[in-house]
Amino acid sequence: MSAPAPLPPLVYEGLVRRALQEDLGRAGDVTTDAVCPPGLPGRARLVARAAGRIAGLDASLLAFRLLDPVVSIEICVPDGHDAAAGETIARVEGSARALLAAERTALNLLGHLSGVATATRDAVARLEGLPTRVAATRKTTPGLRALEKHAVRLGGGTPHRYGLDDAVLVKDNHVALAGGVAEAVRRARASVGHLVKIEIEVDTLAQLDEALAAGAEVVLLDNMDLATLREAVRRSRGRAVTEASGGIRPETIRAVAETGVDVVSLGWLTHSAPSLDVALDVEA
Amino acid sequence: MSAPAPLPPLVYEGLVRRALQEDLGRAGDVTTDAVCPPGLPGRARLVARAAGRIAGLDASLLAFRLLDPVVSIEICVPDGHDAAAGETIARVEGSARALLAAERTALNLLGHLSGVATATRDAVARLEGLPTRVAATRKTTPGLRALEKHAVRLGGGTPHRYGLDDAVLVKDNHVALAGGVAEAVRRARASVGHLVKIEIEVDTLAQLDEALAAGAEVVLLDNMDLATLREAVRRSRGRAVTEASGGIRPETIRAVAETGVDVVSLGWLTHSAPSLDVALDVEA
Amino acid sequence: MSAPAPLPPLVYEGLVRRALQEDLGRAGDVTTDAVCPPGLPGRARLVARAAGRIAGLDASLLAFRLLDPVVSIEICVPDGHDAAAGETIARVEGSARALLAAERTALNLLGHLSGVATATRDAVARLEGLPTRVAATRKTTPGLRALEKHAVRLGGGTPHRYGLDDAVLVKDNHVALAGGVAEAVRRARASVGHLVKIEIEVDTLAQLDEALAAGAEVVLLDNMDLATLREAVRRSRGRAVTEASGGIRPETIRAVAETGVDVVSLGWLTHSAPSLDVALDVEA
Amino acid sequence: MSAPAPLPPLVYEGLVRRALQEDLGRAGDVTTDAVCPPGLPGRARLVARAAGRIAGLDASLLAFRLLDPVVSIEICVPDGHDAAAGETIARVEGSARALLAAERTALNLLGHLSGVATATRDAVARLEGLPTRVAATRKTTPGLRALEKHAVRLGGGTPHRYGLDDAVLVKDNHVALAGGVAEAVRRARASVGHLVKIEIEVDTLAQLDEALAAGAEVVLLDNMDLATLREAVRRSRGRAVTEASGGIRPETIRAVAETGVDVVSLGWLTHSAPSLDVALDVEA
Amino acid sequence: MSAPAPLPPLVYEGLVRRALQEDLGRAGDVTTDAVCPPGLPGRARLVARAAGRIAGLDASLLAFRLLDPVVSIEICVPDGHDAAAGETIARVEGSARALLAAERTALNLLGHLSGVATATRDAVARLEGLPTRVAATRKTTPGLRALEKHAVRLGGGTPHRYGLDDAVLVKDNHVALAGGVAEAVRRARASVGHLVKIEIEVDTLAQLDEALAAGAEVVLLDNMDLATLREAVRRSRGRAVTEASGGIRPETIRAVAETGVDVVSLGWLTHSAPSLDVALDVEA
Amino acid sequence: MSAPAPLPPLVYEGLVRRALQEDLGRAGDVTTDAVCPPGLPGRARLVARAAGRIAGLDASLLAFRLLDPVVSIEICVPDGHDAAAGETIARVEGSARALLAAERTALNLLGHLSGVATATRDAVARLEGLPTRVAATRKTTPGLRALEKHAVRLGGGTPHRYGLDDAVLVKDNHVALAGGVAEAVRRARASVGHLVKIEIEVDTLAQLDEALAAGAEVVLLDNMDLATLREAVRRSRGRAVTEASGGIRPETIRAVAETGVDVVSLGWLTHSAPSLDVALDVEA
């Protein structure tokens, strides 16, 4: 995947405002307000305490801007780049009170999203030399869909569906409701526009054959063992994009990819990646 | 800690709406809409795929209610209770289309918050027999402060500050700005109301003495080794509540608690706890 | 296209609230409030003054519900069905004051969206016997994207892209920026996920050849004359979906479709379709 | 009518944000992002493809500003002025990516509102030499009330009621509820403030007499033929402002106005005026 | 003034939600949550501790409904009626926790708005036997315009302008900008619709003559002594509605009204009326 | 109390926007728009008509900034300082139309909040020489909690609880629910974090003894006579902070404070303080 362009701040500004508001509450930063004169200038550095892939920096810096509109910012490690442990990610200069009040919100955004990007980067790294893409799922943190998908892209992964509305993904429940794979695909094709792709989840090779016959553009190979995956890839060649999913972990991802699947998708990139350790070193 | 009362839905309804909206997008669940007749009734079970402490169930079920106001719900394992692997957490009955469209949002809420509660429960369990409390920090996921703090309480932990405004926490930057611990506390005391407690972060025993002398009600013992912690506890007895913090992990938490500190606080409960594996089994 | 399922009200509830609020202002319906006792029950019928395809009825009825939560509603001509001139579309029974206060908001929604659906239906009807689909564009009324796209679907059309994010559409500016069609497609392919289709706009057959060679999945044939369209369709057969666009009007749509293109897209379905004449007959 | 002052952006900023958000979705402009480097500067011109009265330009340009706060703008044909076919309306210079991402939102606003203003201007032009005013109604597009009323004013028309709350308009239902015109007016007068005018809708000359006797300040002459209108005007002279309404079309508006009515009101100015054809010519 | 109809809850629901949220914060009612079991039923009475005119009861009760959707409510003294000291205004029965958590929000709404209504009622009472109306101004509490104006109406007063947009009020600054009263009125008349009244503020009889000559429909007689007021009333008779304003207090209002002015307007009704003492007696 | 730092505008920006919107409505300031050319520059002074303590100036000036982002502002009497009658509080220079349109919103904010601050300052002044603090309550105006509490602080008072969530306040209902003071405190202690203080309301000395025995950190002495208060203070010394509350008025506050209580809390500071008379003198 190529490095993604920055998201328009309009997409995440509401979240950053809400995050600041839930930290400031009704009285603001009572500690800083008690000790720090209003006009005092301050300088601080966002620092990586551990090595990782940076994501969410733009959103994170917006937290400072929302509390001090004339804050001055120098980005050292932009979104999508790797920071070494101890490396300075960005320098901010502005009202000391704003820096301290925005600190935790900024770090929470940066740490969480860099955690997602770093987990993705590491998964991608395990597939070096293979053409297989690493994809996220819709198992994201509520309210953070756009930012977490973007973090996956910054980690070198591919976002998969952003929601229920941008592609068809026929699962077993849908097949049961339609009375068969072919009928489910037929209904989906008749229902959605010519720019919407159709993916079908299959558990067995028999289901795969049915899905391919029905014209699936992508097949989701769910919880298959490696041998079955290899055979599924063979049968799908030239007919559909193949995606492996289901309980794939860092240790097993390369073996899965070596079956030849086009995409490996992993829920834990977004729902369980640990936060990257980042800090704000204030030189108030 | 005693089991907390449910949060008023007013506190999190906005988040659940936004989470549904980011999944439904502009066109809704195009797959389900293609295959499932509007009026079709459905039944489903929220199931724990792994054992854990349930949290976020109320919020999770609100996702179904917002898509089908007359959905019928039976709760089997309420918030704050433990589910075994495979156990049914709740049964929902309503429009099949609403169940499928709300599924992912409901699971993302439930899995994430139960992950936080389970991590907390496990940390609390490690301290069995000790009076030490397990506390969260403000290192929470942006937008989820109230729900994650509540999940910590459901796990048996204590929430610590909800924001920058409900207690004073004097850190090194504040001390530097005020020109000393005593002056920082004096300013804080003069600035905040009579219902606001004052906590001071200290790195050394010398700083601790200064903080105690200044009248700190709580002292945050940051990154101290066990021997120093023990001594800090001794000096604080009868004078201030003691809280240990800084890089404490599951493996080390008991040893820290055995120094006699009143509270152990852990950022990873909220920023890095893995999601609990939960699923929706639909019997459409 | 098959008849679409209803949109979840969550998608448009905000719009209906805002529409009511902009009509009620700060003092509400001062005329009705002056003459009508609070508790008075009322009955009314939504009536089509002209024949047309109904759309927006669900949203329209929500206006009544938001002012009288216990209003009783009987739908006679549901969304996606045709009403004859004079036909009753729905009956509502509830507080007379709520009926009168919601009237204009309900009619504005219903008239506007039924206008879009009727225009689409009529365009589709002109293509009877042909496999060509009628598509909308992103030339929608600000704030009404989801509802207008849905109205197009209720008219038998297909929605095309819902936004800038759910498919790639490479236009001349993008080609210029990338330095060529092939490079633009290469970059797009490397940038977006495996569920995102790529469409390329072309003005000439030479550009078409380039687009097909670059692997376009859909080609937008912009402002071509019928002969060129026919040739473009011939060259694209088996390689890409073809879409004709650019100044196509009701009178010319069939001729365009007869060139064999798969899709004809029309901006005026959403930006210039006249409102359907609908009224509320109150039997207070 | 004199040319109106610009609306405060606070009135429509929310709409422009929502319009951008519904177009950007969760991933933004994926096509532009794939081909266009972040820092690339761009220049573009808003151009009228057809002649018309410009309206909504301020709102339209706000779309660019919201994506690029430092965009530079030169207005050539301001709101309320006429553009010839092919004429440049405004020049914008800023981030090429922002220009392309905001393009459709800006054009949708500008085209729709200029369509309303142009239809109004043309209706006003048909009444040249007559003192009759052209008024809009409350038949506006949901969410666009303030902007469409403003567009009507920019076209030379008068806005009529902005909502249910800023004037009394007694219709047949209200008369029925009150048990007569006189009683309806009496109740309205007792209910509203001294700055609120009272208009009464009448279908016949007998009703007109009743309304005038009751002290109506404005009479709405609904669906009367020209002879009746003339007589109604004669009877109202010096007693009430007269307004003709009901199915009046461009072809008939002058004849209606020549009866001597003070105001002619037309729903189609806002609910059915076709969009003005406008485009963005990018010189990226 | 006749008793006003209830405001649609849609107008104030946002305010009540925000008021609850600012009281509940992130953790809810921690006291009640600690002592009160979730399912416990409760009963409570809203009681007037002092005599007054009730206003805001509907909004106040909405606070309970938002925390307990199935709360049962019995209204004893509806909005617009007088409560004696000690009288029960309403009874609520529902979740004990919801009653306690909503208590302060409900009382703040009820006390504040009943204070406004009571002050208005008392001012109206002082004018008994006179035809003069008591009007509020735009000097309202930020965010409460609609509710405070409604409270004024419930007190028997008239609301005056709800905002800057529903009537013209030409003040000295406007006259200066236009270069004279006549020109200001001419511009206003050319700018606003036929349903908008024009009021002119005058300080002297000379200005009054100018305003009347210019066609003012209402004249605001600002800070005139009683003799001047009487003369102003005489000159305005049959030509314009007269409104006295400026520093009028309860003690002076009758003398002002006896000059014959049609309306007396008082800022303190909304900006300085003391709250009515109301309480919630819980029988948990 | 020391002078508080300014609140972050993020805390109140939403309120100021809503206040402007409720005044501008759908058509804006129709009077100014009719008479004042768009580009005209203007100058104005915010002036205190009566002497008082200034509060809400920052919020008030934001109203001008939101209508004219490049307005230039000079603050003469900042928040928390005293203005003499006739003194200029601030000078604003910008678009004349923006100044006039924002005038009322700015004054309503400034007058209301300065009224609260002035009432607080006066109460504090009555306690000169005594160590007693003057506290507000949660009896605030809906939607204005944060700003009114801040105004109390600017008046020299202390804010008390900001909401139901930042401290425990056990009242009689809670005691009844828990079955006794001791049990209520025990439950509260087990339920809330180590940074939350516990206050208990008592009516009698017997209850006070119980509360002190139960470990209350603050005792609220409700409606006690002076002798009882004195005895309560004596019993509480060294054990709990004492707060007197209940019907305390300006005339009685000093006598209450002289009993030795630490805090006196007064609802009328926020629910019944009259507005400070402020005006905008425009030199357009």
Side-chain angles (χ1 to χ4, degrees), chain D residues 115-141:
Chain D
V116 171
T118 302
T120 307
R121 177 199 67 175
D122 292 348
V124 169
R126 286 174 181 270
L127 306 192
E128 215 196 322
L130 298 175
T132 318
R133 285 183 173 196
V134 173
T137 66
R138 284 171 39 252
K139 299 181 176 177
T140 56
T141 313

Side-chain angles (χ1 to χ4, degrees), chain C residues 27-87:
Chain C
D29 181 353
V30 295
T31 310
T32 300
D33 287 352
V35 300
C36 181
L40 195 76
R43 274 204 314 274
R45 292 177 305 121
L46 282 167
V47 177
R49 292 257 177 274
R53 172 67 52 91
I54 298 309
L57 182 58
D58 290 342
S60 169
L61 294 170
L62 182 56
F64 294 106
R65 273 203 198 91
L66 285 170
L67 292 193
D68 178 1
V70 296
V71 74
S72 129
I73 288 171
E74 181 198 350
I75 293 178
C76 308
V77 183
D79 274 345
H81 289 249
D82 287 326
E87 195 171 351

